[in-house]
Amino acid sequence: MKGITKIALAIALVAILVLSIVVASVAWFTSNPEVNANNVTLDAARTLIVVFDSTINGTNYRYNGEKGNAAAGDVNAPYVYEAGYFNAAIHPSANDKRGRVKMEFGTVLIEYHPGSISNVLLTDLFTVTANCYREDGAGDYVQVDNLFVPYDAGSHGGLTRYSLTNYEISNDGYLMDGAEEARFADGSYAFTFTYTFLPSASYEAWEDGDYENIAGYERSGSGDYVGVTAYVPYEAKYHYGLTRYAYSEGAYVESETGTFVKTISEYLPYSSVQKYAQSGGGYVSSESGTYQKIAGVDEYVLFPRYNKINGFPYSHERYMDATYTFTVVCSVEEV
C-alpha cells in the first residue's frame, strides 16, 4: 500500500485549522488562475472544483486506508480532513436583515488504476460539515502564518481573531446552526469544509459506538448488492449538477427547475431484487437479467452491483491512488 495520498483544490494556498479525530495536521490548497474566485457576496455564487489527487506534490494529505469502523484514537478511526474555502462578504441592506449561506455539492468522480466510477453521491463517501470563521476581533482562534492556532494573549496581541463554529448542511443546502437555519449579520466570513471519510448514513452509528452497523458500498461487477435507481426529490446538499426532472402525466421529463433527480436511492441484496433481461424489444423477468425497473414508471435501467463494506467503501489498498473530484457551490442570500 502506498502510504501517502495528496490533495489539490481550486484557488491558492490558504490557512487551515486542525479538526481531526485521528490526524494531527492537514493542509488545503486551491488551483485556479482566477485570483479571488472564491469570494462570495450577496446574490452571487462561486464554484470550487475539488480534487483529492494522489499525484500532487507538497501536501500533508495522509489517508492510509482507515476503515472508519473504530473509536477515535484507533488506527481505523474515521479519517477527517478539512479542505476548500470560500470568503463571504455579507453586508445586508438594512439592520434587520441577515444573510443565509447555501452550500451545494455535486456528485463525485472516482478515478483509480485501472478504472473510474462516476456520479457517486458525496454522502455515500463522506460526512460533511461547514466551518465558519468570522473576523470579529473576539474569537477563540487567530490566523498566524497560514495556520489557525489557539489565541495567546501574550504573543498574538493585535492579530485578527476568529470564532469557530461547526454547521450542519441541510438537505436544501443551507447552513444550520443546531436546529435553526443560520443567519449571518454584517461582516466578513470564511467557510471551509470538513470531510469525514464515512458515509453519512453510518456517521450516527459511529457516534453511538455501533461500529458493527457502519456500512459503505464499493462498486463491484460481482458484488452481492444492487444499487437501486429511483426518482427522488432533489436535494441541493448533494444532488447539484445531476439532471433534474419534473413529474408530468405519469412520467418524469427533464426540466431545469424540476424537483426530482434519478439516482441510486438504496442498496439491496442481489438475491432480493427483481431482475429483467431484454427480449423482443421489451423486458422480461429473468434471474440472470441485468436490468431493473424503476418504481412507478415503465422504465428499465442497468443496475450496478456493489460489495458491502464495514466502513469507508474505498478503503482497500487498490484505491490508495484514487482521485476524487466533485463540485462545491456557495451562494449568499439576504433574508
Side-chain angles (χ1 to χ4, degrees):
M1 181 190 305
K2 294 187 178 179
I4 298 178
T5 55
K6 307 168 181 88
I7 186 168
L9 301 170
I11 311 202
L13 177 59
V14 293
I16 66 165
L17 172 71
V18 176
L19 286 178
S20 177
I21 297 174
V22 292
V23 183
S25 64
V26 296
W28 36 293
F29 299 81
T30 58
S31 57
N32 188 313
E34 183 181 351
V35 177
N36 294 325
N38 60 325
N39 289 348
V40 182
T41 58
L42 285 173
D43 300 320
R46 293 289 186 181
T47 301
L48 290 178
I49 304 300
V50 181
V51 185
F52 291 30
D53 192 340
S54 64
T55 65
I56 302 300
N57 295 320
T59 68
N60 291 320
Y61 179 61
R62 300 179 185 275
Y63 177 71
N64 285 311
E66 294 89 345
K67 294 182 180 299
N69 58 3
D74 188 276
V75 66
N76 274 315
Y79 179 73
V80 180
Y81 197 87
E82 184 177 6
Y85 80 106
F86 291 96
N87 292 325
I90 300 176
H91 303 300
S93 60
N95 290 336
D96 62 342
K97 299 291 186 180
R98 294 290 185 269
R100 63 177 181 177
V101 178
K102 188 174 187 178
M103 303 293 183
E104 301 176 88
F105 295 86
T107 56
V108 183
L109 171 64
I110 305 175
E111 297 175 283
Y112 63 98
H113 183 75
S116 65
I117 306 169
S118 60
N119 289 331
V120 182
L121 293 182
L122 188 83
T123 48
D124 278 357
L125 299 172
F126 313 116
T127 300
V128 186
T129 56
N131 314 298
C132 172
Y133 310 93
R134 184 180 182 185
E135 296 185 72
D136 60 4
D140 298 321
Y141 291 82
V142 60
Q143 186 178 10
V144 179
D145 295 332
N146 290 328
L147 292 172
F148 285 104
V149 298
Y151 177 74
D152 181 274
S155 59
H156 296 151
L159 292 173
T160 301
R161 295 169 63 175
Y162 294 81
S163 292
L164 169 65
T165 306
N166 285 348
Y167 290 90
E168 294 298 321
I169 303 166
S170 62
N171 285 339
D172 57 8
Y174 292 107
L175 296 188
M176 304 294 290
D177 188 2
E180 302 294 329
E181 192 173 274
R183 294 287 191 266
F184 296 93
D186 187 282
S188 296
Y189 300 83
F191 298 99
T192 72
F193 306 98
T194 299
Y195 298 89
T196 300
F197 280 49
L198 202 63
S200 296
S202 294
Y203 187 73
E204 186 174 344
W206 180 84
E207 288 187 308
D208 292 339
D210 187 11
Y211 306 128
E212 294 299 320
N213 287 320
I214 291 173
Y217 293 88
E218 169 206 9
R219 186 71 178 268
S220 170
S222 59
D224 293 329
Y225 285 78
V226 167
V228 177
T229 299
Y231 287 97
V232 299
Y234 173 78
E235 295 180 358
K237 182 177 180 179
Y238 54 90
H239 288 155
Y240 181 82
L242 287 179
T243 300
R244 295 172 67 167
Y245 297 85
Y247 186 71
S248 176
E249 299 180 355
Y252 292 90
V253 294
E254 291 189 21
S255 170
E256 290 184 2
T257 58
T259 57
F260 294 90
V261 293
K262 183 166 61 174
T263 189
I264 292 172
S265 63
E266 61 180 331
Y267 300 89
L268 296 177
Y270 177 79
S271 58
S272 69
V273 174
Q274 180 67 54
K275 307 170 192 65
Y276 296 86
Q278 287 182 314
S279 177
Y283 295 86
V284 296
S285 178
S286 171
E287 281 303 310
S288 60
T290 56
Y291 288 82
Q292 60 181 294
K293 184 179 184 297
I294 298 180
V297 292
D298 188 24
E299 183 178 350
Y300 297 81
V301 295
L302 289 167
F303 57 75
R305 296 175 66 172
Y306 294 82
N307 288 321
K308 186 176 181 179
I309 306 297
N310 178 219
F312 183 66
Y314 296 95
S315 57
H316 192 278
E317 65 179 78
R318 61 177 167 267
Y319 300 112
M320 287 303 97
D321 285 334
T323 298
Y324 300 87
T325 304
F326 56 95
T327 298
V328 185
V329 179
C330 176
S331 58
V332 179
E333 304 169 7
E334 183 175 89
V335 290

